[in-house]
Amino acid sequence: MLITGIKSRPVYDELTPMASGLNHLTAAQGSGGKPLVRLLGAMTPEQLAATTVLYSTESFTGQNYLIDLQQFKVRELAVFPTNSDAVRGLDAALATAKMGTRLYLSGSEGFIGTSMQVATSYGMNRDEVLREHAGSFVRRVWCAHCGHYSENVTHRVFVCPGCELNLIVRDHYSGRLAAFQGVKADSEVPGEMPENEELDT
């Protein structure tokens, strides 16, 4: 049985240019390039000239919007081979960001969540950030036993690469951890495993 309507899941926005921004910083991965292309298409030439684009070509859906993004006359376009590299690039960009910077995030839930952790560490307020989900809802899972993060989880039960326990994925999203929680699957009756259904991803 798939569990739908997870209340703890973030409510996402639609990327639109924030008129109050003096500088615009965007970070996207894979399918997140589609809303980013729409965002850049809605910007004025002045806004584009004040925009930095960070884009990861790592994709869970196989979609790549790099060629489309290269058509815009932005201040800078930085391309990364992995999502973790793009998040590190975002960290470096925010470390030197000035007042009036507006942040736009798009892509998978895990990418947006880890990017928001970085933005929050720099004190960015919710009204300075827009987030749009794009592509698959593959889950990022945090192991409650060893603290390991697993990316792209699609099934209810899986083996944690950190502690090798069979984990069951709970339907609660933690904004602080930017992940769903995984707990020992057979904790109540050792050896008795729940059905390994496909997640509501």
Side-chain angles (χ1 to χ4, degrees):
M1 177 183 87
L2 297 180
I3 306 219
T4 57
I6 298 169
K7 292 182 181 178
S8 59
R9 214 165 214 163
V11 175
Y12 294 104
D13 312 297
E14 183 174 300
L15 299 189
T16 55
M18 288 185 265
S20 60
L22 302 176
N23 292 287
H24 304 275
L25 177 60
T26 70
Q29 62 81 219
S31 297
K34 185 175 184 179
L36 188 50
V37 167
R38 189 190 68 241
L39 169 71
L40 297 176
M43 285 184 164
T44 65
E46 294 75 22
Q47 287 173 324
L48 286 172
T51 297
T52 298
V53 175
L54 311 176
Y55 184 65
S56 164
T57 55
E58 182 179 350
S59 175
F60 309 122
T61 59
Q63 297 192 19
N64 186 323
Y65 289 87
L66 181 57
I67 291 173
D68 301 286
L69 294 171
Q70 290 171 332
Q71 307 308 309
F72 294 96
K73 295 181 178 177
V74 296
R75 177 173 49 208
E76 180 184 0
L77 170 61
V79 182
F80 301 89
T82 69
N83 296 338
S84 57
D85 288 336
V87 172
R88 282 192 289 274
L90 175 63
D91 193 354
L94 287 175
T96 59
K98 297 183 170 128
M99 290 294 289
T101 296
R102 298 295 178 261
L103 177 61
Y104 308 82
L105 304 172
S106 60
S108 69
E109 197 160 61
F111 178 78
I112 293 173
T114 52
S115 297
M116 274 305 299
Q117 285 179 316
V118 172
T120 301
S121 75
Y122 285 98
M124 291 202 79
N125 299 321
R126 186 63 189 90
D127 60 352
E128 298 172 312
V129 184
L130 289 178
R131 308 169 299 169
E132 183 169 340
H133 177 268
S136 171
F137 269 109
V138 291
R139 295 193 191 179
R140 181 174 193 246
V141 179
W142 176 79
C143 176
H145 306 284
C146 72
H148 181 84
Y149 284 94
S150 297
E151 305 289 343
N152 315 329
V153 176
T154 59
H155 282 79
R156 178 72 57 197
V157 179
F158 75 104
V159 177
C160 174
C163 62
E164 299 186 352
L165 287 175
N166 285 304
L167 301 181
I168 186 165
V169 182
R170 288 188 171 167
D171 285 310
H172 173 73
Y173 182 85
S174 166
R176 182 180 65 83
L177 297 171
F180 288 84
Q181 187 180 64
V183 297
K184 193 168 185 282
D186 60 346
S187 59
E188 290 186 15
V189 181
E192 188 175 300
M193 301 294 289
E195 184 182 345
N196 193 12
E197 64 189 357
E198 188 172 353
L199 289 166
D200 176 18
T201 56

